[in-house]
Structures are given as C-alpha cells and as structure tokens.
Amino acid sequence: MKRSNLDLWVRKTEGLPVLDRAAVEALQLAGLNALLERERARGGFYSDLPGGLASLSDLASLPFTTQADLAARGSGMVLVSQSEILRVLTETSGTTGPAKRVFYTPGDCENTVSFFAAGLSELVFPGSRTMVCMPFSGPYGLGELISAAVESLGASPIKTGVGKSCGELSDILRRERPDTYVGMPAPLLAMLKVCGRGTLRRALVSGDACSLSVEQGVEARLGTRLFPHYGSRETVFGGAVTCPAHEGMHLRENHMIAEIVDEEGNVLPRGEYGELVITTIGMAAMPLIRYRTGDYTRIFKEPCPCKSPLLRIDRVTRKGPGAEILKLDEALFGLDGLVDFHAKYAGSAVEILALTLAEPAQAEIEAAARRALPEVEVRVTARKCTRSDRPLYPGKRSLENAEAL
Ligand SMILES: [Zn+2]
C-alpha cells in the first residue's frame, strides 16, 4: 500500500527529517504553545488561558470555543491586523442564529491550496481535466482555491461551479471530457444518474456530509473508489482527506489538533464516536482553540493500512435537525430511479419533492422516506427530471423550517 501523499507534504512543509507520531505531536505542541504565547502577549480573546502547556494532553483542561463565541466575538479572535486580512466569510448558523465570521490571510489560503494539492494528487495527475463543481465567489473563493491546486499539479480545472442544469452538465461532460470531479456528493450522484459517467473516472467529494448510499452509488457508477474530504470555514476549507487505502480521512495535523468529546465535553478515547473539536494552530488570521464543530465522527484507533502516522476520522454526521436530512439521504439515494430530492417541514409533516429518472415511483419513494423518518408524517411529490432541472439544493442539504415544529 502506497503511503498517503499527505505524509510527504507535511514533512516538506514543516521541514521534518522523518514523519512519525512523535514528530507530529511535537509539532502540534510547539504550534499550540506559540499560539498561546501570542494570545497572552496581545491580550486577545484567549489571553486568560495559560501561556503554554507541558503536554498535548493538557489541552483537555482548556475551555471550549463555541459557535456562539464565534458569532458574538469573531473579530475579537483575529490575531493579525485588519490590513493583513484577505477575506471574511460570513455564515448564518440556522435561520435565526447570529452570523459567524471567519477571517483569512493570503498565507492561510496558500496553505489550503497546498494541502488541497497534496490530497488531490492521489487522483488528479499531470494532464488531468478536473471538473470543479464548487462555488466560484471571486479571488480566494473555494472554487478558485481548488482550481489553483489542480493547476499546481499540471492539470486543467474545468470551472463548472454549482447549480448547473442537467442539460448544461451533460454538455460540459461531452465537450470538456473531464476525467476527475471535485464537488459536493449528492449533485455528483445525480449527474452520474442522469448523464452517465462519460469520461469521468475519479472523484473527490466535500462541502456536505456524504451518506453511505451516495458513496456506494457514485462508486458503482464511476467504477472506482471515492475520495471523501472534510473541511469547514474554520479550517479554511481543508481539514482531512482520504488516502489510497480509502479507510477514513487523514487529518491535516500540522495545522490542526483534533479531539472527540462526549455531550458533557469529556475527551473520548480513539475509536469512540462523539463531536469533533478542533484547535487550528496553523491558521494565521483566526486560530481557534478547542472549537466545537457540531460535526460527529470518531478518530480511528488502528493505524491506516497506508502506514501514515497522521490520524484519520470516519464519515462525518450531524445531530439534531441536521440528522434528519442525512437519514433521508441514506434511504432515498439508494433508490436507483431517484435523481434528487428536496425536503421541508410543513407544520409537523415533511414534504418531499423528488426528481426521478423514469416515470416516478411515488409509492416506493414514500415508503423509503417513511422508513427513514417513522415518527413523522411524510408526503412525497415526484416528477420526472428534465434537462432544465438544477440541483434542488445549491449548497449544503438541510431539512428546512425545522424550527416550525
Ligand atoms: Zn492512509
């Protein structure tokens, strides 16, 4: 088994003669202590914390940073001067929650491009043509960062963006002849079902949770294993990526420390499922200490078959309102004839609009949705997908209006 390309990237980026677990942890402790010292010196958001820790296990004694902290005090967490800030990303948490803002410097974005390139180099080769199906939102947007990483590998990005219709995607596949895809998982499966794989052979998915049924559906149609990636705004998009072993995603451990905690905030041992908590030591503009991501996963106990010392996380799921859409994804995307669906609450019932390949099998879709959400009344409207249909979610999938319950 070939070792993960991330190993070489971490070793080169950090100037390490060898990369083993001791080297990774020494790097993390040094990064964490440098961050604590900087915070202490500037009297910033984290200045009440100790100026240094004796060991990585002491990290568990520090308080958490929550999404509410980020919304209330985001700009107070910024470690660099305003003139060094390149980009501010704003995201509302839920429909009523306050907006949280995450700040980046050019260096933060360059680090992400180089991490993306290392992860993508497992499936994108010189001369490859890569469909980039992520939002293009101006300089240093996500689509732009991925495209820069693709170009750095000697490959060509096909800047597709998000929200293209079935007909437009079909034309791009035929005209541009891509061999690789980078984008969200459910729209990839929908495209493969409607347009066929064409020249596409390999894919990396990110930007949304990927259910097992979507993963299996994509792999069956592409004829190759999928490369899932995990990232968030707080990790400047790049957090963890799959290696050729396809057994979990290796964490970007030179730039972040990951912990898994239970509901009470106790750190869980390797192998146990809980909430992912990250300390982003490698981010210059806005490093976070023990940030509760709201994402649920586990850190594998066993070493990866690729022998990388970098820890791996499992498939990422959600809890609370975010969990229901994942249950529906799991149940409905396993149906061969279903292309895409949108779900929302209407009072206490869930209304689903489904797009199908052939004549809609409404009863079959309804039965699967009821098995997924047995507590709720489910109503399904299905119709045949046409060339002008676009993905029913432009971004992250969610069961909308959940607070109406
Ligand atoms: Zn591996």
Side-chain angles (χ1 to χ4, degrees), residues 4 243-245 250 304-308 312:
S4 164
C243 76
H250 287 287
C304 183
C306 84
K307 299 199 168 57
S308 168
R312 293 167 299 151

Side-chain angles (χ1 to χ4, degrees), residues 150-197:
V150 167
E151 279 167 354
S152 78
L153 295 169
S156 309
I158 300 162
K159 299 178 181 178
T160 311
V162 293
K164 290 270 187 306
S165 71
C166 295
E168 287 167 331
L169 288 171
S170 182
D171 291 345
I172 291 170
L173 282 171
R174 206 178 44 247
R175 196 178 61 233
E176 302 287 348
R177 302 180 62 77
D179 49 54
T180 31
Y181 168 102
V182 179
M184 281 182 286
L188 168 61
L189 181 59
M191 180 177 80
L192 291 170
K193 283 182 174 180
V194 174
C195 311
R197 70 173 177 169

Side-chain angles (χ1 to χ4, degrees), residues 264-340:
E264 283 77 48
N266 304 306
V267 176
L268 293 170
R270 304 246 167 99
E272 289 188 26
Y273 284 93
E275 184 178 358
L276 176 66
V277 170
I278 55 173
T279 299
T280 52
I281 46 174
M283 310 304 161
M286 192 174 172
L288 298 171
I289 295 177
R290 304 199 84 207
Y291 176 71
R292 295 188 76 142
T293 61
D295 291 326
Y296 289 77
T297 184
R298 63 176 171 148
I299 294 176
F300 284 92
K301 198 156 106 188
E302 311 75 26
C304 183
C306 84
K307 299 199 168 57
S308 168
L310 300 171
L311 297 178
R312 293 167 299 151
I313 52 169
D314 206 345
R315 184 183 308 280
V316 172
T317 60
R318 300 183 213 139
K319 282 207 171 162
E324 282 134 356
I325 191 75
L326 279 178
K327 286 184 194 161
L328 286 172
D329 281 1
E330 195 58 67
L332 300 190
F333 282 121
L335 304 173
D336 272 347
L338 183 132
V339 175
D340 195 6

